[in-house]
Amino acid sequence: MSQKEYAGVSIAVNDEGYMTESSQWTEDVAKAIAAEEKLELTEKHFAMLKYIRDRVAKGESLTIRGIGKSGIVDIKEFYQLFPGAPLKKATKIAGVPKPSSCI
Amino acid sequence: MKQTKRLVILGAGTAGTMMANKLRKELDRDEWEITIVDQVKTHYYQPGFLFIPFGIYKKEDVIKPKSDFLPIGVNVIFSEIDKIVPDENKVLLTEGSRVLKYDFLIVATGAKTAPEETEGLAGELWYKDIFDFYTIVGAVALADYFKTWKGGKLVINVTEIPYKCPVAPLEFAFLADAFFTNRGMRDKVDITLVTPLSGAFTKPKATKLLSSLLEEKNINIIPDYNIARVDNKEKKIYDYADQEVAFDCLVTVPTNMGDAMVARSGMGDDLNFIPTDKHTLRAENHENIFVIGDAANIPTSKAGSVAHFAGEILTENLMCAIEGRPFTASFDGHANCYIVTGNGMGTLIDFNYDTEPLPGTFPLPGVGPFGLLKVTRMNHYGKMIFRWMYWHILLKGKEMPISSQMSMAGKKL
């Protein structure tokens, strides 16, 4: 567990850089984390981040399939918004834990 | 005289059969009528499907009549289930439009493969160059295909999480390596495992061992891959970022879904799994409905061992509910999986919701100990002996010498 400065605020993060105190999240913090991932956040990004934060707050699990049914983006657009490993990247920027795959 | 009460069990697979056996012993015969419903008369030993493509098991090694395993004193109905009407405590059957009233209901309708969920998967190459090994038809078709296959790119793809028996795709890769090596054609077969997971498995210690086994056996792995579609003409799969993987033979683990009956009842999530309390095993929105096995959405492996361990918890908690007491048993997500690694060797993992698979030894009175996260011959025997235990002990709901709660004995942190 360590602290990292984003947008002038000291933020608690774990070894993989995921925020551990979701309440510390602000849009500016998100922008700063996104910048590290070389992403500039648009309104669509923020809509997706909000969706992810809401789901996690309700204790629901995040899946690629669920994102596709979010009504905000389809899965292909989600990949375009957060290229590479989209779910991992999006959760990191949304200030929620990395989705654990329970298999 | 007391009025007869009714317990209905939906599904006579591993979990449902086991519960019928346990509860017929537990519940007074004069007081409780037990009915179990399933649409199929054959019981499949699903862990055996894995061995069929490689000629180790044949179809007849994995099938028996369901009725052989259901106890006297339980009504057995073979019918499709239309739906559950939870607000009216009844189940509608397709056969003869029958209606079953219940006081308590156990849903054990499992999970099934749904290749139609992926564009192009169940297309023109289905059972020609694309196979699954999670159905008896797929496993047998693949066995025939491998008999004359000349080699090429063998791609094993996991479509989506969760899926039954999480280690099976790895075991398939290990067995394929051994099979083609023994046929003297391993140099002609390129084996690649393509998975949505970040590695060979989810938890660090097991991933480390399994990754090194893949490397040792020259099996490639492409992680973090979510398949979007199959191009049957080009023989390629694509993910949502259009990353392509070419195949000559595609072995797929299709999307796993709960039974369509769950959707018709309006009780499921996106994948028709029923929201279930992971500790008490009661359906989240229904006081008198319990869910066991693959049908539940609980965050543990979809596997027979999990259903087995959950069975003891469910029995205890159902008795609590019947007698109007608070629940006394809590499920810990315990799973125990033998993993065949090819050429008569195997490994073993034992874990739960909170404890990842750890190395060490697994004590088993009379037979063990088995090596945890170690590749040994004994673990291979464990897997093969398990089929006998499944038919004779587990399904009959008899005591197995393994505790339902995971134990730390023998494990090394």
Side-chain angles (χ1 to χ4, degrees):
Chain A
M1 197 80 76
S2 56
Q3 298 284 324
K4 205 163 169 186
E5 196 175 301
Y6 285 114
V9 188
S10 181
I11 302 285
V13 294
N14 68 11
D15 299 345
E16 293 181 299
Y18 285 77
M19 286 174 60
T20 53
E21 297 290 338
S22 193
S23 59
Q24 291 186 312
W25 188 87
T26 62
E27 293 203 353
D28 286 336
V29 170
K31 282 180 193 163
I33 302 174
E36 282 189 347
E37 302 283 344
K38 306 207 174 11
L39 280 181
E40 200 168 318
L41 300 183
T42 62
E43 265 178 45
K44 200 118 210 194
H45 285 101
F46 277 112
M48 210 54 240
L49 296 177
K50 186 175 179 309
Y51 170 84
I52 288 171
R53 288 181 61 83
D54 286 350
R55 291 281 302 221
V56 172
K58 283 184 200 149
E60 292 171 23
S61 59
L62 292 169
T63 60
I64 289 281
R65 172 180 287 263
I67 298 283
K69 289 186 174 177
S70 64
I72 300 166
V73 290
D74 64 21
I75 301 173
K76 200 144 195 162
E77 287 173 283
F78 185 56
Y79 266 72
Q80 286 158 1
L81 288 177
F82 303 96
L87 208 49
K88 282 190 217 162
K89 215 172 259 187
T91 47
K92 193 171 185 180
I93 299 171
V96 298
K98 182 174 161 184
S100 58
S101 6
C102 303
I103 60 169
Chain B
M1 198 181 127
K2 279 187 191 166
Q3 200 194 343
T4 307
K5 289 184 214 136
R6 301 185 184 97
L7 171 74
V8 173
I9 302 172
L10 301 181
T14 306
T17 301
M18 190 180 67
M19 289 319 297
N21 281 298
K22 279 182 184 296
L23 292 168
R24 189 60 293 175
K25 282 187 211 111
E26 205 71 36
L27 297 170
D28 190 321
R29 282 170 193 254
D30 295 330
E31 202 179 340
W32 282 91
E33 184 180 281
I34 303 180
T35 303
I36 189 164
V37 186
D38 200 295
Q39 57 187 327
V40 182
K41 290 186 177 169
T42 305
H43 192 111
Y44 294 97
Y45 174 61
Q46 293 186 58
F49 289 1
L50 168 72
F51 298 104
I52 291 176
F54 308 104
I56 300 167
Y57 282 173
K58 293 193 166 37
K59 186 178 172 181
E60 51 269 29
D61 294 323
V62 299
I63 57 177
K64 287 182 194 283
K66 279 197 165 123
S67 50
D68 285 6
F69 301 93
L70 295 165
I72 292 167
V74 167
N75 306 321
V76 182
I77 301 176
F78 288 109
S79 164
E80 196 191 358
I81 299 155
D82 176 20
K83 62 178 172 186
I84 304 165
V85 189
D87 294 339
E88 297 173 30
N89 296 326
K90 66 184 187 188
V91 177
L92 310 183
L93 303 185
T94 311
E95 203 73 39
S97 305
R98 277 179 78 171
V99 178
L100 299 178
K101 300 280 287 174
Y102 62 81
D103 293 283
F104 282 93
L105 180 70
I106 295 175
V107 184
T109 43
K112 62 178 179 53
T113 53
E116 66 281 2
E117 289 286 312
T118 306
E119 185 188 330
L121 187 56
E124 57 191 273
L125 293 182
W126 187 244
Y127 292 172
K128 293 196 179 73
D129 291 304
I130 302 178
F131 302 88
D132 71 301
F133 63 94
Y134 276 69
T135 60
I136 190 75
V137 184
V140 169
L142 187 52
D144 285 341
Y145 181 85
F146 277 162
K147 279 177 193 160
T148 56
W149 195 44
K150 301 278 186 291
K153 294 188 180 72
L154 174 62
V155 172
I156 303 156
N157 175 236
V158 176
T159 303
E160 202 172 340
I161 295 163
Y163 60 95
K164 288 191 260 195
C165 192
V167 292
L170 286 163
E171 296 182 285
F172 187 93
F174 296 148
L175 288 174
D177 166 69
F179 178 78
F180 293 115
T181 301
N182 295 337
R183 292 195 144 200
M185 57 182 284
R186 182 63 178 87
D187 58 331
K188 296 190 180 65
V189 181
D190 181 52
I191 308 177
T192 306
L193 176 66
V194 183
T195 171
L197 301 176
S198 309
F201 201 66
T202 48
K203 300 293 177 354
K205 291 198 170 70
T207 300
K208 199 173 158 209
L209 171 86
L210 295 166
S211 305
S212 70
L213 281 174
L214 288 173
E215 203 178 320
E216 191 181 294
K217 295 171 191 294
N218 200 18
I219 297 164
N220 314 305
I221 178 162
I222 301 178
D224 292 317
Y225 189 97
N226 290 288
I227 187 175
R229 63 193 167 91
V230 182
D231 186 326
N232 284 261
K233 294 249 170 345
E234 300 274 324
K235 295 181 96 174
K236 284 176 182 167
I237 59 173
Y238 291 87
D239 78 353
Y240 290 96
D242 283 328
Q243 186 193 347
E244 59 175 58
V245 179
F247 66 85
D248 293 299
C249 173
L250 174 64
V251 174
T252 175
V253 179
T255 296
N256 277 214
M257 295 182 83
D259 199 277
M261 174 280 294
V262 174
R264 288 195 292 271
S265 310
M267 290 173 64
D269 62 12
D270 284 350
L271 288 166
N272 298 346
F273 295 121
I274 302 174
T276 304
D277 186 292
K278 68 177 189 175
H279 295 302
T280 66
L281 303 175
R282 183 159 72 176
E284 271 174 12
N285 305 314
H286 307 284
E287 291 250 305
N288 58 345
I289 302 180
F290 288 83
V291 190
I292 184 166
D294 299 347
N297 80 335
I298 59 173
T300 181
S301 298
K302 297 207 175 293
S305 68
V306 173
H308 167 70
F309 298 131
E312 292 178 31
I313 306 296
L314 177 50
T315 303
E316 186 173 328
N317 280 350
L318 178 69
M319 295 313 288
C320 292
I322 287 172
E323 290 162 15
R325 293 179 283 120
F327 292 129
T328 50
S330 175
F331 188 49
D332 67 353
H334 190 188
N336 178 283
C337 312
Y338 288 97
I339 306 171
V340 291
T341 56
N343 291 317
M345 302 294 274
T347 183
L348 174 66
I349 52 176
D350 189 66
F351 55 105
N352 68 11
Y353 290 139
D354 306 315
T355 308
E356 67 164 311
L358 294 170
T361 54
F362 185 75
L364 190 65
V367 200
F370 292 94
L372 288 166
L373 282 181
K374 285 186 203 113
V375 177
T376 67
R377 193 158 291 278
M378 191 67 188
N379 282 332
H380 174 81
Y381 292 137
K383 178 99 176 187
M384 302 321 267
I385 268 176
F386 184 73
R387 182 170 58 135
W388 186 91
M389 292 176 57
Y390 180 87
W391 293 123
H392 295 91
I393 302 177
L394 190 142
L395 283 183
K396 303 251 164 118
K398 293 181 189 161
E399 288 279 318
M400 292 260 280
I402 307 179
S403 145
S404 61
Q405 304 279 335
M406 195 201 76
S407 156
M408 286 303 288
K411 292 191 173 69
K412 293 195 190 105
L413 277 167

